[in-house]
């Protein structure tokens, strides 16, 4: 039987060990197990010592976010499940809501744009209006507002809005909203204008429809406007390349641990003069398409030097429905040019949106005169 002195000694040692484990010893012991153990130890330490309650799930989310951000690559990011859904809406070009673009500035949620023929426009909402409440509850920020404004089609949402010094409410029925990727029209001398605004899931179909429509009107030359197009899906870019560039190389992807991937056009080309408008906001997939058009000499680039985003991201899905979007490859133009950090220099440099369009029209007309 243990003596009373030994019993007290055991109790004392146990108490001291518990105290040490509750403090820095846990961090020390676990950190010796490696980087993963180190993170676990830090979370345990904070849980026991931080002066406010610690939500361990949030701390571990921060660790995951920090791991990706430590790459110091602006295009690699961690997204939780909610952020991923927001990203999918942005890239899909379609969502259910009222058709507004909002922005948080100066601690207010302000409408930047109301889409044409949208429920918001029908309800009289305008750019500059400030959203105060959604369904009676104050909005916290733009993310909170956008999440609550969206919802199933044919359901309604109530907004309290501030315009100048007047506050009013609007109840609006949600509809399926299509974010257009392309607009087009026929200009003078049978020159068609196609404005390609993004590479979302509908970009190829909309570009093909635009070309088919213009051809039915007798188009003889095309101006492709990719100014302010910051990119999107590379597969959509490749499909559009089939419409504009004859069979041959479009872009090569250079990876870390796999062979270079060469992507080829399978089309016959546009078959008529092509002028492409670019500027400092032309990036990513837009630069892939513009670079291929320039290198393959099937069109003339007009404007200012492009942004210079010449890397490609891949999506990796995690078990909790969060994702890691990581840069996995660099792309090269058909002539082997690396665009990342360099951009594309246009064939004809022109500043100013109006001046650039005028020059594009001038060049398209000159090309038609040469073919007559």
């Amino acid at each position: 039987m243990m003596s009373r002195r030994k019993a007290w000694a055991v109790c004392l040692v146990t108490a001291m060990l518990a105290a040490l484990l509750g403090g820095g010893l846990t961090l020390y012991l676990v950190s010796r197990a490696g980087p993963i153990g180190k993170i676990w130890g830090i979370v345990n330490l904070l849980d026991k010592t931080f002066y406010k309650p610690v939500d361990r799930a949030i701390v571990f989310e921060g660790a995951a976010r920090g791991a990706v951000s430590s790459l110091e690559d602006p295009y690699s990011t961690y997204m939780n499940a909610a952020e991923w859904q927001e990203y999918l809406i942005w890239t899909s070009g379609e969502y259910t809501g009222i058709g507004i673009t909002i922005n948080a500035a100066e601690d207010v949620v302000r409408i930047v744009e109301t889409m044409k023929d949208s429920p918001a426009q029908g309800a009289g909402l305008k750019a500059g209006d400030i959203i105060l409440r959604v369904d009676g509850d104050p909005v916290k920020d733009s993310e909170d507002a956008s999440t609550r404004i969206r919802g199933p089609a044919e359901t309604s949402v109530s907004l309290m809005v501030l315009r100048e010094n007047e506050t009013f409410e609007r109840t609006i029925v949600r509809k399926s909203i299509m974010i257009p990727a392309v607009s087009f029209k026929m200009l003078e001398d049978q020159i068609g204008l196609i404005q390609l605004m993004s590479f979302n899931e509908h970009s190829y179909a909309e570009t093909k429809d635009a070309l088919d429509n213009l051809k039915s009107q007798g188009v003889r030359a095309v101006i492709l406007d990719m100014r302010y197009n910051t990119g999107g899906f590379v597969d959509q870019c490749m499909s559009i390349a089939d419409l504009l560039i004859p069979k041959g190389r479009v872009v090569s992807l250079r990876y870390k641990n796999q062979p270079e991937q060469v992507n080829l056009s399978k089309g016959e080309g546009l078959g008529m003069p092509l002028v492409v408008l670019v500027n400092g906001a032309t990036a990513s997939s837009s630069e892939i398409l513009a670079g291929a058009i320039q290198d393959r000499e099937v069109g003339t680039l007009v404007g200012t030097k492009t942004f210079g985003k010449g890397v490609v991201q891949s999506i990796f899905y995690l078990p909790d429905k969060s994702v890691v979007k990581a840069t996995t490859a660099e792309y090269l133009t058909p002539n082997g040019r690396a665009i990342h950090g360099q951009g594309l220099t246009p064939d004809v440099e022109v500043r100013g949106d109006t001046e650039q369009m005028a020059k594009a029209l001038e060049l398209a007309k000159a090309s038609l005169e040469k073919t007559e």
Side-chain angles (χ1 to χ4, degrees), residues 139-268:
V139 295
K140 299 175 183 177
D141 49 39
S142 59
E143 182 179 351
D144 173 57
S146 62
T147 300
R148 289 160 54 195
I149 289 171
R150 287 196 298 271
E154 305 306 325
T155 61
S156 62
V157 60
S158 177
L159 304 183
M160 178 179 286
V161 177
L162 174 65
R163 179 181 297 164
E164 297 178 349
N165 296 320
E166 178 187 359
T167 300
F168 58 91
E169 289 196 30
R170 292 286 187 272
T171 298
I172 307 171
V173 177
R174 300 178 177 100
K175 300 289 185 182
S176 179
I177 304 294
M178 181 74 73
I179 304 171
V182 172
S183 66
F184 67 95
K185 62 182 177 181
M186 186 72 84
L187 305 176
E188 57 194 83
D189 296 335
Q190 293 177 293
I191 297 171
L193 172 65
I194 298 176
Q195 184 179 13
L196 179 55
M197 296 171 282
S198 67
F199 289 89
N200 66 29
E201 292 179 357
H202 309 287
S203 296
Y204 165 72
E206 291 183 31
T207 302
K208 186 177 185 304
D209 287 346
L211 275 173
D212 289 345
N213 188 296
L214 291 171
K215 287 177 180 178
S216 71
Q217 298 181 58
V219 68
R220 298 192 300 148
V222 171
I223 297 173
L224 177 65
D225 188 354
M226 291 197 293
R227 294 173 296 178
Y228 307 103
N229 184 332
T230 57
F233 292 136
V234 175
D235 62 339
Q236 292 288 311
C237 170
M238 289 302 304
S239 295
I240 293 172
D242 289 344
L243 301 173
L244 305 175
I245 301 171
K247 290 182 175 65
R249 188 182 293 254
V250 174
V251 67
S252 299
L253 300 182
R254 180 183 291 166
Y255 293 89
K256 180 179 182 180
N257 293 315
Q258 56 181 293
E260 185 173 299
Q261 176 185 322
V262 178
N263 292 273
L264 305 174
S265 169
K266 301 180 290 294
E268 299 300 325

Side-chain angles (χ1 to χ4, degrees), residues 68 71 73-77 255-256 309-316 324-330 340:
V68 180
L71 299 173
D73 174 23
Y75 309 113
S76 296
T77 185
Y255 293 89
K256 180 179 182 180
K309 179 183 181 293
V311 289
V312 178
Q313 285 69 50
S314 300
I315 300 296
F316 301 94
V324 171
K325 180 163 72 78
T327 297
T328 54
E330 179 180 23
H340 194 61

Side-chain angles (χ1 to χ4, degrees), residues 336-351:
R337 291 185 292 160
I339 296 174
H340 194 61
Q342 304 296 320
L344 296 167
T345 299
D347 302 300
V348 181
E349 294 196 53
V350 182
R351 296 192 174 276

Side-chain angles (χ1 to χ4, degrees), residues 193 195 223 225-229 277-282 302-304 349-361:
L193 172 65
Q195 184 179 13
I223 297 173
D225 188 354
M226 291 197 293
R227 294 173 296 178
Y228 307 103
N229 184 332
L277 286 166
V278 296
N279 64 8
T282 302
V302 175
T304 56
E349 294 196 53
V350 182
R351 296 192 174 276
D353 287 359
T354 302
E355 293 79 3
Q356 290 164 355
M357 182 60 73
K359 175 56 73 171
L361 192 57

